[in-house]
């Protein structure tokens, strides 16, 4: 049984983080997350994240710059692991194509967001990334 990797992008620009409000499934609808999705067979994690962010945010894939890992892996199930990466956008204006809404928050706003449970594991790492010059 192979492990399914799900990648999430911490899109950071000028000291603020892009968060996306889920529209589904019902138990997570209305909660906030880092956008991303599943890595397809034969696809690198960076390529998967660029593709997913292009699909979810309406930005061009070449404009998605996937950087270093952020935080530790989060186990979602016996067969699924969630992994976050720092991301910068070289162009484009993110739009909520698959989410209810998008918003930019600073480090102080991290605790004001109703996060999906899995993404809470990265709050300290996100705060550190947002507080770096």
């Amino acid at each position: 049984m192979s492990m399914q990797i799900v990648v999430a992008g911490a899109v950071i620009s000028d000291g603020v983080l892009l968060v996306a409000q889920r529209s589904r499934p019902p138990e997570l609808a209305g909660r906030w997350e880092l956008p991303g999705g599943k890595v397809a067979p034969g696809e690198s994690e960076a390529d998967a994240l660029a593709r997913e962010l292009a699909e979810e945010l309406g930005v061009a894939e070449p404009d998605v710059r996937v950087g270093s890992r952020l935080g530790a892996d989060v186990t979602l199930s016996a067969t699924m692991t969630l992994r976050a990466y720092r991301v910068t956008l070289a162009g484009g204006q993110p739009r909520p194509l698959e989410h209810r809404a998008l918003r930019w928050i600073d480090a102080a706003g991290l605790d004001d967001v109703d996060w999906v449970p899995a993404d809470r594991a990265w709050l300290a790492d996100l705060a550190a990334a947002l507080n770096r010059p």
Side-chain angles (χ1 to χ4, degrees), residues 5-129:
I5 301 295
V6 179
V7 288
V11 180
I12 297 173
S13 176
D14 296 325
V16 291
L17 171 73
L18 182 70
V19 294
Q21 189 178 39
R22 291 196 64 125
S23 54
R24 57 180 162 49
E27 64 273 15
L28 295 177
R31 296 181 113 180
W32 296 82
E33 67 177 358
L34 300 180
K38 294 179 181 174
V39 178
E43 190 176 38
S44 75
E45 292 177 17
D47 287 347
L49 188 51
R51 174 185 51 76
E52 286 285 347
L53 294 182
E55 291 171 4
E56 292 184 11
L57 305 177
V59 294
E61 253 181 86
D63 286 338
V64 178
R65 306 279 162 83
V66 179
S68 59
R69 290 274 309 274
L70 182 127
D73 286 359
V74 177
T75 301
L76 296 176
S77 70
T79 59
M80 200 173 291
T81 297
L82 181 61
R83 196 167 277 167
Y85 287 86
R86 293 176 66 109
V87 174
T88 54
L89 296 178
Q93 186 61 40
R95 300 184 315 279
L97 301 182
E98 295 185 8
H99 290 87
R100 281 187 187 170
L102 300 176
R103 59 189 255 219
W104 294 93
I105 59 172
D106 60 14
L110 289 172
D111 291 331
D112 298 334
V113 172
D114 183 16
W115 291 96
V116 297
D119 288 19
R120 286 186 180 281
W122 297 318
L123 290 182
D125 301 294
L126 290 168

